[in-house]
Amino acid sequence: MKFVLGRVLRTLQNLVAAVLTAAFCFVPAWFAHIAITVQLAPVWVYGAVAGLVFVGAGVTLSFLEKAWNGRKPLGE
């Protein structure tokens, strides 16, 4: 029972970390896209937006993979 509860807790931690990572990366990227669309920011900012989305997606997928396998969020 203790093993199952620990795995569930680690899975929930990873899911929360994935949601927070997605929010911290994709929300600013979306607002940067909107700023470029209404011409408040130059078009070259899309390079930074692409980098932010690429890194955010990688970290989010990493947390989801750890949640699937039941591993610690910041360990292993």
Side-chain angles (χ1 to χ4, degrees):
M1 181 69 182
K2 185 177 178 181
F3 175 74
V4 173
L5 185 59
R7 185 177 169 97
V8 169
L9 181 61
R10 288 190 302 268
T11 301
L12 289 175
Q13 289 172 338
N14 278 310
L15 290 176
V16 169
V19 168
L20 288 176
T21 300
F24 288 151
C25 293
F26 300 144
V27 171
W30 174 253
F31 280 106
H33 165 70
I34 297 298
I36 295 167
T37 303
V38 296
Q39 298 178 349
L40 289 175
V43 176
W44 60 264
V45 174
Y46 271 126
V49 171
L52 182 63
V53 168
F54 182 73
V55 171
V59 174
T60 302
L61 290 174
S62 175
F63 279 127
L64 291 176
E65 187 262 336
K66 286 182 176 189
W68 182 261
N69 293 329
R71 297 194 323 240
K72 294 179 182 177
L74 299 177
E76 302 173 19

